[in-house]
Amino acid sequence: MSEPSGEAGLRCLVTGATGYIGGRLVPALLDAGHRVRALARTPGKLRDHPWAGRVEVVAGDVRDAASVREAMRGVDVAYYLVHALGSGPGFEETDREAARIFGERAREAGVGRIVYLGGLIPAGVPERELSPHLRSRAEVGRVLLGSGVPTAVLRAAVVIGSGSASFEILRHLTERLPVMLTPSWVRTSIQPIAVRDVVRYLVGCAGLPAEVNRTFDIGGPDVMTYRDMMRRYTEVAGLPHRVILPVPVLTPGLSGLWIGLVTPVPHAIARPLAESLRHEVVCREHDIARYVPDPPGGPTGFDRAVRLALQRIRDARVDTRWSSASVPGAPSDPLPTDPDWSGGTLYRDERELVVPVAPDALWRVIEGIGGENGWYSFPLAWAVRGWLDRIVGGVGLRRGRRDRQRLRVGDSLDFWRVEEIIPGELLRLRAEMRLPGLAWLELSTGRDDQGRTVYRQRALFHPRGLLGHAYWWSVWPFHSVVFGGMARNITAAARSVPQPDLPAGEDI
């Protein structure tokens, strides 16, 4: 744990720092002169963020009262940026209990301000008619407002920014479908907001007067329908005209499945987002401007937000993505470190090849794996595995990469997540696909006793029950094609990487 230097500014506790908004809020708070403590269930996921050395990171979970109490010590402002989105039955009780614990521990610790980001609530709609996730967010806001700690609840609709789930849905639907049969909610009015304005409001709320304890609706300057958003995106992105045909038969459930098939966002996340658009979500006030003044020119308009997001994607400068946060239900168990692991069977597929290249050339191929570069082996098999995963509710193969060249711990990589990376040496991926067990893939570089570059690859699988054992042996015959082909193709790709000029007489 490292303490930031200097005593200027407020000490801010940020929960959800591994997520989309939290990962952008932390550097913004630092830039504003505040000190930041990040609460994370897996602190290692924050290790490779460019701001990691400037914050204090503590291990904990908002559902664990003891860890929240410890994290609240000496805190001036506590940001609550966690939601049980897509976590299955019981998420409302989970959200309610976590908010209660957070509020109580903040009050006990003498925290001066809680800031919470929730969803924009439709006007005039009874709460019982709201989507379960929007209803839960409203309840979390009430719990925090009633905690006895001055609280600001910011309520936003669709967030537009590179890597946000809402933006990825909009982008992929519009780019992939020249003709769309769309749900009727595409005609519902929405007030989107640029992610930069969300972060600006969150930072500004740290300085609210103590008497402020209320909700604030936040949105951009444009009110439009989702169909308008798709048409405007088409124009900004320079795409040919799209034909959009709303039909009444696509329920929120079917809409979620449709979005899950067309975009990288899985059904578990797409459905609650679609459900929240059934009703008009437009700001009823702009009182936040009394405390956090609008920038010159006003809040960011929709077209500019889209241009900024697309430019960041083109420049490979996407700081966080919707998939930055852990996928609900995905395995998070670390790879057992005991080589003679006593926790049960651990199946292995291990391969090693000598490569006549410099280690850094091999490493560039390893770190660039996945996303647009693919997996260097039997593309059809990987595609089919991805589709099968989507069908059973998994993340599938289309999450891609946050950055085309660089990886960091916690990054999602198609249906894997980076569990460990030692630059120039080791990349360990943990599977987040639906499996009857836990799986990892390790790719590494090294030298043999003759000084030659060696590529090493390990696939590991810890089966769960009889089905897990049956799964491993059913796919075993294909390993020579999938994993053997991967090893051969990765090393072949490394040989095509331009090699540095070596002094005369020196061999790689």
Side-chain angles (χ1 to χ4, degrees), residues 351-357 361-362 365-366 376 444 453-457 484-497 499:
R351 299 174 191 271
E352 183 175 301
L353 292 173
V354 173
V355 197
V357 300
L362 176 57
V365 177
I366 290 173
Y376 294 95
S444 63
T453 300
V454 177
Y455 169 73
R456 297 185 178 93
Q457 176 182 296
M486 175 184 287
R488 292 189 298 272
N489 292 332
I490 285 177
T491 54
R495 287 194 291 272
S496 68
V497 173
Q499 301 296 308

Side-chain angles (χ1 to χ4, degrees), residues 240-305:
H241 175 70
R242 265 42 182 168
V243 178
I244 303 168
L245 303 173
V247 294
V249 295
L250 288 178
T251 64
L254 289 174
S255 296
L257 290 172
W258 171 64
I259 292 170
L261 287 173
V262 178
T263 80
V265 180
H267 171 252
I269 294 176
R271 174 167 181 161
L273 292 176
E275 287 178 331
S276 68
L277 298 176
R278 287 183 300 168
H279 305 289
E280 182 178 278
V281 277
V282 175
C283 296
R284 285 167 282 178
E285 42 84 9
H286 187 51
D287 295 349
I288 189 69
R290 292 164 49 194
Y291 305 99
V292 186
D294 290 339
T300 309
F302 177 81
D303 290 2
R304 181 165 182 255

Side-chain angles (χ1 to χ4, degrees), residues 120 122 131 134 157-159 166 169 173 183-191 224-226 229 252 259 270-281:
L120 192 56
S131 69
L134 199 55
V158 172
V159 176
S166 296
I169 289 173
L173 286 179
S184 58
W185 50 252
V186 299
R187 293 175 290 196
T188 303
S189 292
I190 305 165
Q191 191 165 351
M224 59 186 73
T225 66
Y226 203 90
M229 289 171 60
I259 292 170
R271 174 167 181 161
L273 292 176
E275 287 178 331
S276 68
L277 298 176
R278 287 183 300 168
H279 305 289
E280 182 178 278
V281 277

